[in-house]
Amino acid sequence: LSSLVSLNFDNEDERTFCSHFGLNGSRVLEKRQPLIIYDLIIFSHELDLLEIRLYELYRYVDRFFIAESDITFTGKPKQMYLLEHWSDFKKYHSKIVRIELRHDPNNSTDKISETPTRIRALEQIYREFHIGDNTVIMMSDLDEIPKARFMRSL
């Protein structure tokens, strides 16, 4: 990865760009079934970062799945910030699916760490949405925003 940091991809064609990541870029050149791109993130309270992510990825992503829990990963209760500020994101509503993860404080097996939280969100997506061979589910931290160049190459 450190060797990629110094590379400048701005003037490369899609096939060359993809080759840096071990991909052949054939999807770019072949007109296959269009990809459906879902973006799954776990949200805590970073409203400004969420606005940036939605703005940057809106034209490339079909659905944003935003999972928010009523407790932190340290087990402390927290506000549902996205729910409270839902109207601030009105222009993105058509592509956002809110996933509320409510935890039972009386259930000691109700895990609050990152991996079980992501798994619970994924399970909900698989239950409620069609996931086909042409579906890509991106999972990353809120502040890890893929570059537009990468998204275009999908």
Side-chain angles (χ1 to χ4, degrees), residues 71 102-105 107-112 120:
I71 57 175
R102 303 281 180 175
H103 291 80
D104 180 359
N107 182 352
S108 62
T109 63
D110 198 7
K111 302 289 185 193
I112 56 171
R120 283 180 61 187

Side-chain angles (χ1 to χ4, degrees), residues 29-83:
L29 301 176
E30 298 172 15
K31 292 299 178 192
R32 295 189 199 171
Q33 190 177 15
L35 283 180
I36 296 170
I37 300 175
Y38 292 159
D39 185 25
L40 169 61
I41 54 170
I42 296 174
F43 178 76
S44 178
H45 63 277
E46 313 91 340
L47 296 165
D48 54 346
L49 285 175
L50 180 59
E51 174 74 31
I52 292 167
R53 187 180 187 98
L54 292 170
Y55 176 82
E56 290 295 324
L57 298 180
Y58 191 81
R59 74 181 115 189
Y60 307 109
V61 171
D62 295 287
R63 289 250 189 258
F64 294 92
F65 294 92
I66 305 172
E68 183 175 22
S69 176
D70 58 353
I71 57 175
T72 67
F73 289 146
T74 59
K76 296 178 181 169
K78 71 173 260 323
Q79 298 171 246
M80 300 293 275
Y81 288 98
L82 182 57
L83 178 60

Side-chain angles (χ1 to χ4, degrees), residues 12-23:
E12 294 182 348
D13 61 55
E14 275 72 14
R15 185 176 291 281
T16 304
F17 174 76
C18 290
S19 71
H20 293 294
F21 302 96
L23 305 170

